[in-house]
Amino acid sequence: MSNGDDDPADAADDGEPAETAAPTLPDDATEESLTEYLDEIADRLEAAETEADLDDVEALLADAETGIEEADLPEPDEDDEDADDPRGDLEDRVAELRDGVDDARGPYGEDVVDAIESAAGTVEDTEWTDDGREDVAAAVESFVDAAADAIGDADEDPEALLAEGEAADAAAPAPVDQLVAALDAVAGAVTDADLDADDDADDIAALLDATDELEAGLDDAEEWDDLETHEQLRAQGYYDVLGHYKDFPVEWAALKEHEARGNVDMILLALDSLQSEFMERHCLEAFERMGKRGKTEASVEEILGRAEKRDQPAIRILGTMAAEEATDTLVEYVPEDSNPQLQKVVFKALGEIGASEAVQPLANQLDPDGDTDELVRPHAARALGLIGDTRAVDPLADALEAHPSDDVRAAAGWALRQIGTREALEAVAEYADEHSFVVSTEGEKARDALDDEAEPAPTA
């Protein structure tokens, strides 16, 4: 029995020491007393074992901030960079302790979910080699097995999702979409389990260990980017068209064979993979020679991307492909008077495409008072002829009649003959006796065409 003089701390009947009283903010807030207060908070942080303990430390730090703010502390001398700053030092200590609280918290179930979702994104977004896919599948399967004990029942069974892939082909790894689905199922089960940072600390730690193993497995799995360029090309069948490797370089020999066979995807593969000016030039020349035969959605997208940077070889290719998709881009370049060489290439490409949207912009280039280079205007006229739109008849007839350059007039006459309507032919035929040989030649051809048109068809 106690005689009334016993220390209450020694009287605990459970054999455990009584809980240490929380520190209190000093009434006389000085640098020394506040420092002692923060030391006590630091001790309490070190002893914290639960989220509730950390919440208490957070509350004490909030009190400390208030005490520091209200304390009458000396201000540092602004002219002395080395002067003491008690308030600043105390505030830094509070910030340091807050970081300690953040570091001590968790981990939480949400951390596990974030790690799983990150791994699922890696699985889905990475281009794996065949060997890499096998390693990825093994890493995911191992993770699902390790996670099973911690997550319990799930709405979707991750192991069953993986088994679907095995059932389709036992010798092949599960498809990427099924691997991702299995990981999503684990993440969903972790979310549904609503794991508590204190009560379920062991399960959370086990799941995080499993996600670490998963991430390590994915890091070790082989990606396409890990392979040398020639290994990637060989794996994708680029060299399969060759019966031998004696031609040099073999990439060029294969390119010529792919061009002959019309293998557009392989030419694009070489253009993307073989980063040399030599192979780039030959890939583009292959597309230019192939013309419409080389036109696919993928090849137009690649070449148009280059044309948008004013690449003239690319613009020529779009013309030979008759790529209507390039019209809007090329029309923007028509009035670029400061770059006559670009204009010539653009005009021809628009003509080969048959871009009716370019009729008026091209017709504007025929204006003798404009800024267009004199050597470029004939190319504009010829492009209008290739397009063949009858809206070009009047501006071409005006150029034929009044333009000071015989080259432009002859090109206008040629263009009108290509359009070929009676109105266009008559406009040119008027100049059959023109003093300029190049103009009169076009006029004579137009007159002959009209005469042939007027001749009655032979009777049977």
Side-chain angles (χ1 to χ4, degrees), residues 146-209:
D149 293 337
I151 63 175
D153 295 332
D155 291 339
E156 285 189 285
D157 183 359
E159 293 176 320
L161 291 170
L162 292 176
E164 291 178 12
E166 296 172 359
D169 184 353
V176 167
D177 59 345
Q178 289 181 346
L179 297 175
V180 173
L183 292 175
D184 289 343
V186 176
V190 173
T191 299
D192 294 341
D194 195 21
L195 300 175
D196 182 87
D198 294 326
D199 298 338
D200 303 305
D202 290 343
D203 287 338
I204 293 174
L207 286 167
L208 286 175
D209 287 342

Side-chain angles (χ1 to χ4, degrees), residues 377-399:
R377 290 197 177 100
H379 294 272
R382 289 181 173 274
L384 289 170
L386 290 174
I387 293 171
D389 194 303
T390 55
R391 290 175 298 165
V393 170
D394 287 344
L396 287 169
D398 291 342

Side-chain angles (χ1 to χ4, degrees), residues 24-37 67 71-73:
T24 57
L25 189 67
D27 294 330
D28 182 18
T30 64
E31 179 181 3
E32 291 75 20
S33 64
L34 289 169
T35 298
E36 291 178 4
Y37 179 58
D72 184 15
L73 299 172

Side-chain angles (χ1 to χ4, degrees), residues 87-265:
R87 191 183 307 278
D89 293 340
L90 291 168
E91 290 172 346
D92 290 344
R93 181 81 186 283
V94 170
E96 180 183 338
L97 289 170
R98 283 195 182 280
D99 290 340
V101 172
D102 290 340
D103 292 340
R105 287 194 182 279
Y108 304 105
E110 293 88 340
D111 298 324
V112 177
V113 173
D114 289 344
I116 298 172
E117 291 177 345
S118 175
T122 299
V123 171
E124 186 171 28
D125 298 337
T126 304
E127 187 176 4
W128 307 101
T129 65
D130 289 341
D131 290 341
R133 279 190 57 209
E134 292 181 4
D135 292 340
V136 168
V140 172
E141 290 164 7
S142 176
F143 169 75
V144 169
D145 290 341
D149 293 337
I151 63 175
D153 295 332
D155 291 339
E156 285 189 285
D157 183 359
E159 293 176 320
L161 291 170
L162 292 176
E164 291 178 12
E166 296 172 359
D169 184 353
V176 167
D177 59 345
Q178 289 181 346
L179 297 175
V180 173
L183 292 175
D184 289 343
V186 176
V190 173
T191 299
D192 294 341
D194 195 21
L195 300 175
D196 182 87
D198 294 326
D199 298 338
D200 303 305
D202 290 343
D203 287 338
I204 293 174
L207 286 167
L208 286 175
D209 287 342
T211 57
D212 287 343
E213 289 293 326
L214 173 60
E215 290 172 358
L218 297 181
D219 286 340
D220 292 340
E222 187 177 62
E223 305 176 27
W224 274 107
D225 290 344
D226 296 331
L227 299 179
E228 297 291 338
T229 299
H230 70 278
E231 293 175 326
Q232 294 180 7
L233 291 173
R234 183 175 293 111
Q236 295 176 86
Y238 180 76
Y239 300 108
D240 291 353
V241 294
L242 296 178
H244 52 77
Y245 276 49
K246 69 179 183 179
D247 290 339
F248 183 82
V250 292
E251 289 78 17
W252 187 23
L255 174 66
K256 289 186 283 188
E257 187 62 33
H258 286 306
E259 178 187 343
R261 299 187 185 190
N263 295 337
V264 173
D265 289 346

